[in-house]
Amino acid sequence: MDPLDRIAAALERLSPPPAPPVDPRTHPAYVWRDGALHPARGFAPLPLDRLIGIDAQKAALVENLRRLAAGHAAQDVLLWGARGTGKSALVKAAVGAVQDAGGDIALVAVADLASLPALFATLEPVARAFAVFIDDLGFDAAGDGRALRSMLDGGAEARPDHVRLIVTANRRHLIPRDIAEQDSAINPRDSIDDQLALADRFGLSLGFHALDQAGYLAIVAAYAGAQGLTFDPDDAVQWATRRGSRSGRVAWQYAIELAGRAGLRG
């Protein structure tokens, strides 16, 4: 045997065997990575009632996912708006709520848009509903947005009927103007189309807006109350001021600070 072949064979013997395929019917949430499904570690969505000030968004997303889990027509969803306002937390909480109510649905987190066709092919034969979760979506080129738009439109690599995309972004116009303009120098009209057309492909669009002080304190009160903690509103406001933001994320971070001060686990 050629020395290189012997080295290759030895390395193959030393390498661990590939992990067995994960059953897509058994776990509440997955991560799609390297062309395979992996169970999501520690999937523990917040109870819906912990998410304050977004009741309309909660109701709309839960109902849409309930329909998907029941095998009824459902929409692809775009959750857009200010940072830290609960978009990602709501996606997980809504899936968890539908699961708790008996719905057969799983969350699948995806980071690589180019791998979506392979994921759709993997999920297509599975008799279960899937919410494919793309968190904090952004694009480096307008062409990337057009590929996703084709999938939403039902192109050659469209997602199966029991799979819907759930996308969060910090802006409704998913393709920033400067990127669209760079890619559409010949026809300026294409720049406008690229900025608007992708967002318009989502049948359900849910906006999330910056909190006022009262809303921020209400969220702090909900998080603190769930752990049996009291707090000083002025201290909570100062915490947010130092971070330059009033948001659900900052409120959660303040609740963790309160728990730490009280000697509780996070």
Side-chain angles (χ1 to χ4, degrees):
M1 180 183 293
D2 183 89
L4 290 178
D5 290 337
R6 288 199 300 270
I7 293 172
L11 290 174
E12 187 173 337
R13 289 193 297 271
L14 290 173
S15 63
V22 170
D23 189 344
R25 297 176 180 85
T26 57
H27 297 278
Y30 299 86
V31 175
W32 175 253
R33 184 173 59 244
D34 299 328
L37 289 171
H38 304 266
R41 296 191 301 270
F43 181 65
L46 287 172
L48 279 174
D49 59 8
R50 296 273 188 91
L51 302 176
I52 307 299
I54 52 173
D55 290 345
Q57 295 93 325
K58 284 194 290 187
L61 184 57
V62 169
E63 174 60 15
N64 191 65
L65 293 176
R66 184 197 65 78
R67 294 175 186 173
L68 179 61
H72 302 156
Q75 305 282 7
D76 298 295
V77 186
L78 172 64
L79 297 87
W80 61 272
R83 294 179 296 108
T85 48
K87 301 183 294 294
S88 300
L90 176 56
V91 172
K92 299 169 191 173
V95 170
V98 174
Q99 290 172 342
D100 290 344
D104 189 13
I105 186 171
L107 186 74
V108 182
V110 179
D112 178 16
L113 293 182
S115 70
L116 281 175
L119 172 60
F120 295 157
T122 298
L123 299 180
E124 186 169 16
V126 183
R128 188 183 195 189
F130 294 93
V132 173
F133 181 33
I134 304 170
D135 197 19
D136 196 18
L137 179 64
F139 294 105
D140 295 324
D144 298 334
R146 294 193 195 107
L148 179 57
R149 191 169 73 194
S150 176
M151 294 177 198
L152 291 166
D153 270 348
E157 296 177 316
R159 71 277 181 282
D161 289 341
H162 61 292
V163 177
R164 286 295 176 268
L165 295 176
I166 313 295
V167 173
T168 69
N170 291 336
R171 59 172 66 89
R172 183 174 183 272
H173 297 167
L174 295 173
I175 301 175
R177 181 176 179 179
D178 57 344
I179 292 178
E181 288 177 345
Q182 291 170 18
D183 200 58
S184 305
I186 296 176
N187 186 354
R189 179 65 193 176
D190 289 346
S191 172
I192 298 172
D193 290 343
D194 282 337
Q195 289 179 66
L196 300 176
L198 179 54
D200 289 344
R201 295 313 195 271
F202 291 88
L204 182 59
S205 179
L206 303 175
F208 293 70
H209 307 290
L211 293 169
D212 59 17
Q213 184 165 299
Y216 164 72
L217 290 174
I219 295 174
V220 170
Y223 285 147
Q227 300 182 73
L229 299 169
T230 59
F231 72 98
D232 178 356
D234 290 337
D235 184 49
V237 169
Q238 290 174 16
W239 176 273
T241 300
R242 289 193 295 271
R243 280 148 187 80
S245 171
R246 287 191 301 254
S247 70
R249 180 180 297 132
V250 171
W252 174 251
Q253 291 166 347
Y254 179 68
I256 293 174
E257 174 68 13
L258 289 177
R261 293 175 189 174
L264 302 178
R265 294 176 62 88

